[in-house]
Amino acid sequence: MGQYGNQPDFGTRAIAITPKGFASGSYVNVSYQDTEGNAQNVYLTSTNLNVSTLVDGTLIPKASNLTEWEDNCGEGVACWAYYNFDDSFTKFGKIYNEFAVKNDNLYSQGYKMWEIGVLDQMTTQYGYNEKLGQELKSIPTGADGENVQGTTLWLYAGGGKQGQDTFGFTALPGPYFQDGDWSLLGRYTGFWTDEDKTFAELGYDDFTIRKRDTNDKEGYYVRLQVDPWDVDYVAPQPLNSAALYVGTGGDLVVTIVGSETPVMFKNVPDASFLPIIVSNVWERGDDGLTTASNIIAIY
């Protein structure tokens, strides 16, 4: 998928497209120093995972309250929730329990959970990467009279510890679920790794990225590690098409220009024209899989 001009020119050209990736699945190149102090790169998804189905379309249950979360965790059932079990916090993405992230079917070929060996090197335990956490955090909103530009919700800690968003990783301060309660809004965020009961943590008042231990009743966000040479798509760029033609009907997951949330069009008929301006067509989203095919973007 690619961008083909900012001004739609309906009917003058068309390009066939194939559903790509998963919802909010683009990635960024994060640089760090290894155990020898040499520069290394890791490709990580640039937004928190935000799907409610496995790759094969199997539903991942939503926990709408503490009882449902604890019941699912106690029974070894995969589930997800929004911060504070409140649907108004969708901007942070979904928090998944341990049993969800243990399922390899949570993500497509070319992706994997954030490797613990990589995280070890990204922390400060080898004497490097002292400010990597600062570089991963999104730029905070100013506070206490400080003229710090930004639109996200990190608390302003002062002392030069505010996020810099150097790589476009844009880690938001989405609170995680730990010890039967939520971390404080604006202060911390955490991401699952491929090691059992271990997560990566960023804090509002710290330069670094930390490795933390947890248990099977906790919940954190997911940033997947990507092998750019082993995925079936490149990081998506806006389509901004004037319309979509759907040759073979079915369900269609798209992102409408001006929105960040993928939506599904159900049971689109064969040979349909959809007069919608979309930024991306996805293979899956919260409501299920794209089953339509032979899709053409028209400009």
Side-chain angles (χ1 to χ4, degrees), residues 246 248-252 265-270 289-293:
V246 179
T248 303
D251 297 337
L252 180 67
F265 289 84
K266 297 286 292 183
N267 301 318
V268 178
D270 293 347
L289 303 172
T290 287
T291 57
S293 59

Side-chain angles (χ1 to χ4, degrees), residues 98 101-102 116 192-199 212-216:
E98 180 183 21
V101 300
K102 282 182 175 179
I116 192 64
W192 284 110
T193 70
D194 68 349
E195 183 172 281
D196 284 352
K197 300 176 178 55
T198 306
F199 70 101
R212 299 290 198 193
D213 297 328
T214 184
N215 62 54
D216 58 10

Side-chain angles (χ1 to χ4, degrees), residues 17-277:
I17 57 177
T18 302
K20 303 291 186 180
F22 59 84
S24 300
S26 59
Y27 54 84
V28 294
N29 182 1
V30 175
S31 298
Y32 64 96
Q33 290 183 292
D34 65 14
T35 56
E36 304 300 324
N38 298 316
Q40 299 292 339
N41 299 296
V42 61
Y43 295 89
L44 296 167
T45 48
S46 59
T47 54
N48 294 341
L49 188 65
N50 197 31
V51 297
S52 53
T53 64
L54 300 177
V55 172
D56 62 7
T58 302
L59 184 69
I60 306 170
K62 175 184 179 181
S64 298
N65 53 58
L66 178 59
T67 299
E68 291 179 3
W69 179 273
E70 292 183 338
D71 286 349
N72 284 325
C73 291
E75 295 171 8
V77 175
C79 69
W80 62 270
Y82 290 123
Y83 164 64
N84 208 30
F85 306 109
D86 185 342
D87 288 353
S88 67
F89 286 97
T90 57
K91 58 181 169 288
F92 295 131
K94 292 180 172 61
I95 295 164
Y96 296 89
N97 71 355
E98 180 183 21
F99 306 102
V101 300
K102 282 182 175 179
N103 192 326
D104 292 341
N105 204 24
L106 182 64
Y107 39 86
S108 304
Q109 177 182 346
Y111 297 92
K112 52 190 171 185
M113 297 300 298
W114 194 334
E115 291 179 319
I116 192 64
V118 172
L119 176 61
D120 280 341
Q121 294 188 91
M122 295 173 80
T123 66
T124 58
Q125 65 175 307
Y126 300 109
Y128 305 109
N129 306 306
E130 291 91 345
K131 295 188 178 182
L132 184 57
Q134 182 184 26
E135 295 175 331
L136 294 176
K137 290 184 292 186
S138 61
I139 298 171
T141 301
D144 299 326
E146 298 288 343
N147 185 21
V148 179
Q149 298 300 311
T151 58
T152 55
L153 302 174
W154 286 102
L155 295 177
Y156 178 64
K161 297 178 182 178
Q162 60 267 22
Q164 296 178 344
D165 200 22
T166 303
F167 310 106
F169 186 80
T170 317
L172 300 177
Y176 51 72
F177 188 74
Q178 190 176 59
D179 297 328
D181 205 352
W182 299 95
S183 63
L184 294 175
L185 185 64
R187 293 179 180 268
Y188 302 99
T189 193
F191 308 100
W192 284 110
T193 70
D194 68 349
E195 183 172 281
D196 284 352
K197 300 176 178 55
T198 306
F199 70 101
E201 183 186 69
L202 295 171
Y204 79 108
D205 58 349
D206 202 344
F207 291 116
T208 63
I209 181 170
R210 312 181 191 96
K211 182 175 74 171
R212 299 290 198 193
D213 297 328
T214 184
N215 62 54
D216 58 10
K217 290 190 177 181
E218 316 297 63
Y220 304 92
Y221 300 95
V222 171
R223 293 292 185 102
L224 294 172
Q225 192 171 318
V226 185
D227 182 350
W229 297 272
D230 193 31
V231 294
D232 58 0
Y233 82 112
V234 296
Q237 299 295 319
L239 280 170
N240 295 338
S241 61
L244 291 182
Y245 170 77
V246 179
T248 303
D251 297 337
L252 180 67
V253 180
V254 299
T255 305
I256 305 292
V257 168
S259 172
E260 297 181 356
T261 303
V263 296
M264 173 176 278
F265 289 84
K266 297 286 292 183
N267 301 318
V268 178
D270 293 347
S272 293
F273 284 91
L274 298 180
I276 53 176
I277 302 176

